Amino acid sequence: MSSGVAATQSPYKNTLGWNLGFSAYWFATSYKWFILLFILLPTRARELGDANNPNSSWGLVLGIGAIIVTLGPPISGRLCETLGGIWGRHGLWLMMGATITAVGAFTVYGATTYGALIIGFLLLQIGDSIATGPYAGMVATTVPSENRGFASSVLGGLKLFGQIASAIVAILFSKHAIIIYGAVAGLNLICAAWTTYTIRHVPHATVDAEHVKTNFFTDWVAPFKQNDFLFVWLNRFVVALAFAMVSAFALNFLKFAVPSYHLFGKDLGKAETAAQAIALTISLAGVFGSIYTARVADRIGRKRLLVISGAMVFVVLFPIGFIRDFTLIWLLVFGFGLGNGIYAAADWALVSDILPNIKRAGTDMGVWHSAETVVQLMVAPIGFAIDALNHANAGSGYVGMCIGSACLF
């Protein structure tokens, strides 16, 4: 087990300000994907795809982008570590990724056909992949092991604050889509620049001669030979799949399975508004979970936190499949958000603790990140299954969705 880089050798500063700058890009990434995956892209897929099978149309878009987002981060991480020179600069990869993300956001906004939507989504995935590998690798190589619980909780907290910010912007500018997509593009560029400035003293990735001699597929498989990494990857994969099962199709669930959207007597009007309320609740509750994690992560250990989060989410998610009262759903979703916040704040620290080869942190962290992205390959058949069950027995697809997700947690 690697202990990481010693504090005396690290440019890491154990201050909130430094960690906020270091985590800024993750804030922008969370901001981008939360509003796009939860509300905007499912809506666009329903409008431009098959309206009678909305889960299938949206699932297909996710599935098409899955290969890029699965292989992209470890490829960019490996290139950062093997090319040397200017390509060893982590900030360069962040800015390239943010620029392509901005192009992808406006491509999705301007899409008038289902094919154009897919192209825009692929650009978003490419931009995300280019930056994620080199960025994720810095968590393990820059943050000393004794500070990873705090650093990971800041990363997780900003991830949740990104979700809150995106939900608020979506609510305030629901009738002005150009502002929402413009914010996605602009925020990614600004936060990438902020993180690049913060890491200006972080050493460039150095070329390891043994790493250069290997090939990508050898490097992709190598970390799985260590049991700790294998089990952490599988854990993240199962959790990501469970979360994707409900988050990817939550809007359609509200739109077609919940008859009205009254929250403590107040009528929210339409499914999109209800989905925004759910999204905001998950994120706000997640902040409380993240704060709790920041206080105890380095004291009680990461594994115990993951067990707590999984059990908590199972208890509240299972009954949602059978409930059609929006207020009750909202109350249970708050518990879902707490558990999700605890998990989000602990998983970065755990994987940083057990990386097999610290010299290949960018590659290995890219492989670890694939545990979350490879689930997109499975979202497409899940969407088809939900539609098929719904056609056979109205609403049964969404019941199965919630039960399956709860059991995975």
Side-chain angles (χ1 to χ4, degrees), residues 165-176 179-180 276:
S166 67
I168 291 174
V169 169
I171 292 171
L172 294 177
F173 300 101
S174 59
K175 297 181 180 179
H176 304 281
I179 295 178
I180 298 175
Q276 290 165 354

Side-chain angles (χ1 to χ4, degrees), residues 172-377:
L172 294 177
F173 300 101
S174 59
K175 297 181 180 179
H176 304 281
I178 184 62
I179 295 178
I180 298 175
Y181 284 99
V184 167
L187 198 61
N188 267 263
L189 289 168
I190 292 171
C191 288
W194 184 10
T195 298
T196 298
Y197 176 78
T198 300
I199 64 173
R200 64 193 183 281
H201 298 307
V202 172
H204 303 164
T206 56
V207 178
D208 177 32
E210 292 301 317
H211 197 178
V212 174
K213 293 177 182 178
T214 60
N215 59 63
F216 168 73
F217 293 101
T218 299
D219 287 345
W220 208 96
V221 173
F224 291 104
K225 295 178 181 179
Q226 189 217 57
N227 285 339
D228 283 350
F229 185 91
L230 173 63
F231 285 117
V232 168
W233 190 94
L234 288 173
N235 175 271
R236 194 170 201 247
F237 168 78
V238 171
V239 170
L241 178 59
F243 188 79
M245 283 182 68
V246 289
S247 63
F249 307 110
L251 176 58
N252 292 335
F253 165 69
L254 292 173
K255 195 174 188 68
F256 298 105
V258 180
S260 62
Y261 313 109
H262 292 86
L263 182 58
F264 298 109
K266 179 177 177 57
D267 187 5
L268 300 182
K270 57 182 181 178
E272 286 76 11
T273 306
Q276 290 165 354
I278 291 292
L280 191 58
T281 300
I282 291 173
S283 303
L284 287 171
V287 169
F288 291 107
S290 180
I291 292 172
Y292 165 75
T293 304
R295 294 173 61 88
V296 303
D298 288 319
R299 179 163 50 87
I300 71 173
R302 341 300 190 197
K303 290 187 290 185
R304 187 178 300 178
L305 290 168
L306 300 187
V307 172
I308 292 172
S309 68
M312 182 183 298
V313 172
F314 169 81
V315 169
V316 298
L317 181 57
F318 193 95
I320 289 179
F322 303 94
I323 295 173
R324 296 297 178 262
D325 180 86
F326 184 74
T327 298
L328 289 177
I329 291 175
W330 182 87
L331 290 170
L332 291 170
V333 162
F334 188 88
F336 178 93
L338 281 174
N340 185 54
I342 293 172
Y343 180 86
D347 67 334
W348 280 79
L350 182 61
V351 72
S352 296
D353 289 342
I354 56 87
L355 278 186
N357 189 340
I358 200 69
K359 294 180 179 180
R360 305 183 185 187
T363 305
D364 290 353
M365 288 292 278
V367 175
W368 167 76
H369 185 68
S370 72
E372 189 174 76
T373 57
V374 74
V375 301
Q376 290 186 17
L377 288 169

Side-chain angles (χ1 to χ4, degrees), residues 21-74:
F22 185 72
S23 305
Y25 181 76
W26 202 239
F27 168 87
T29 298
S30 175
Y31 179 98
K32 167 183 65 182
W33 287 124
F34 194 68
I35 194 62
L36 287 176
L37 297 182
F38 207 90
I39 298 174
L40 297 181
L41 288 175
T43 300
R44 298 243 63 197
R46 187 173 65 248
E47 294 170 348
L48 300 175
D50 184 356
N52 293 323
N53 294 283
N55 300 299
S56 303
S57 294
W58 172 221
L60 184 59
V61 173
L62 285 171
I64 290 174
I67 295 177
I68 289 176
V69 77
T70 298
L71 298 178

Side-chain angles (χ1 to χ4, degrees), residues 61 64 68 103-105 107-108 111 113-126:
V61 173
I64 290 174
I68 289 176
V103 175
T107 301
V108 169
T113 65
Y114 188 63
L117 175 65
I118 292 175
I119 291 173
F121 183 69
L122 290 178
L123 286 172
L124 289 169
Q125 297 282 35
I126 292 170

Side-chain angles (χ1 to χ4, degrees), residues 87-147:
W87 299 106
R89 299 174 181 266
H90 300 90
L92 174 65
W93 294 88
L94 290 178
M95 295 308 301
M96 287 193 303
T99 301
I100 296 175
T101 288
V103 175
F106 286 113
T107 301
V108 169
Y109 168 72
T112 57
T113 65
Y114 188 63
L117 175 65
I118 292 175
I119 291 173
F121 183 69
L122 290 178
L123 286 172
L124 289 169
Q125 297 282 35
I126 292 170
D128 195 72
S129 297
I130 286 174
T132 296
Y135 177 66
M138 286 192 297
V139 177
T141 58
T142 304
V143 183
S145 58
E146 64 270 19
N147 301 123

Side-chain angles (χ1 to χ4, degrees), residues 253 256-257 321 324 386 389-401:
F253 165 69
F256 298 105
R324 296 297 178 262
I386 292 173
L389 288 172
N390 284 336
H391 289 316
N393 185 8
S396 62
Y398 296 117
V399 173
M401 174 190 77

